[in-house]
């Protein structure tokens, strides 16, 4: 088996900037870090290198320390696409519902859009609120955007979808009821 230790480094508890936590992990001999919101974009300027996926998204969810360098990776889109192809290989995807603008929700939208286009031969609509859409930068923007508004139902394939507002620390976050 593998010998490893997994430790939580919570920025709120540590009350240290991302750069300090990254430097301390490197100094302590960590092999890598998992990165989540709100640090996925904040850590990028403090890394020595980015994988092509992380560079394309401008966000990192994994840091690997190797040969004195900190390399940022992002596995969100590839992991999601791989899960789809393994778990639902023959299912046609008619739409993607985005709940809010955190990097781990919208950061991989462009890559996922491309993977779904190659898989299905067509562009799949990404449904999100105007607030979430404003949170996208051009690197993350899927080709086909549709507007979701709380209280205004729409159809995706055989489903009726009704967005509803939820409390969160982003602009216009929603969840969805599917019928």
């Amino acid at each position: 088996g593998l010998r490893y230790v997994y430790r939580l480094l919570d920025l709120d508890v540590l009350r240290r900037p991302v750069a300090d936590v990254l430097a301390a992990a490197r100094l302590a001999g960590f092999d890598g870090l998992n990165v989540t919101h709100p640090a996925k974009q904040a850590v990028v300027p403090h890394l020595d290198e980015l994988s092509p996926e992380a560079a394309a998204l401008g966000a990192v969810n994994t840091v690997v320390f190797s040969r004195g360098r900190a390399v940022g990776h992002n596995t969100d889109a590839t992991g999601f696409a791989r899960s789809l192809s393994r778990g639902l290989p023959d299912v046609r995807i008619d739409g993607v519902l985005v709940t809010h603008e955190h990097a781990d929700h919208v950061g991989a939208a462009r890559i996922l859009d491309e993977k779904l286009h190659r898989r299905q031969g067509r562009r799949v609509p990404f449904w999100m609120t105007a607030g979430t859409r404003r949170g996208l930068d051009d690197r993350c923007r899927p080709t086909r955007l549709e507007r979701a508004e709380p209280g205004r139902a729409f159809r995706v394939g055989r489903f009726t979808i009704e967005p509803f507002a939820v409390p969160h620390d982003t602009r216009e976050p929603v969840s969805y009821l599917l019928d």
Side-chain angles (χ1 to χ4, degrees):
L2 296 175
R3 189 171 163 232
Y4 65 92
V5 175
Y6 193 93
R7 296 187 185 270
L8 174 64
L9 302 176
D10 188 326
L11 295 175
D12 290 335
V13 172
L14 295 172
R15 296 180 187 210
R16 304 294 306 166
V18 170
D20 290 357
V21 174
L22 183 69
R26 188 191 307 232
L27 187 62
F30 280 53
D31 292 315
L33 298 170
N34 293 108
V35 181
T36 190
H37 176 78
K40 285 186 172 191
Q41 292 166 316
V43 74
V44 169
H46 308 289
L47 300 172
D48 299 309
E49 185 180 338
L50 295 176
S51 71
E53 294 84 4
L57 297 171
V60 165
N61 68 1
T62 305
V63 175
V64 175
F65 298 112
S66 178
R67 293 188 277 269
R69 298 179 55 77
V71 181
H73 300 270
N74 192 305
T75 60
D76 288 336
T78 53
F80 186 76
R82 188 174 299 129
S83 294
L84 278 176
S85 64
R86 285 183 182 164
L88 303 168
D90 301 321
V91 173
R92 175 185 155 117
I93 306 298
D94 289 321
V96 176
L97 306 175
V98 181
T99 59
H100 60 280
E101 64 181 299
H102 286 168
D104 55 335
H105 289 254
V106 298
R110 169 70 60 85
I111 293 172
L112 181 59
D113 181 34
E114 291 303 320
K115 289 183 181 299
L116 288 172
H117 182 246
R118 282 195 300 274
R119 174 182 160 170
Q120 298 185 167
R122 65 186 179 85
R123 294 291 177 188
V124 173
F126 282 67
W127 294 85
M128 62 187 74
T129 64
T132 297
R133 195 177 294 189
R134 283 192 299 276
L136 291 174
D137 67 25
D138 289 338
R139 291 177 303 202
C140 302
R141 192 173 303 277
T143 305
R144 193 168 160 207
L145 290 170
E146 297 291 341
R147 187 169 182 168
E149 294 179 30
R152 192 175 125 216
F154 56 90
R155 296 205 42 94
V156 175
R158 63 182 184 173
F159 295 100
T160 299
I161 314 289
E162 186 164 342
F164 62 95
V166 294
H168 204 356
D169 64 346
T170 61
R171 292 177 280 204
E172 299 179 24
V174 294
S175 196
Y176 298 95
L177 291 172
L178 284 71
D179 186 19

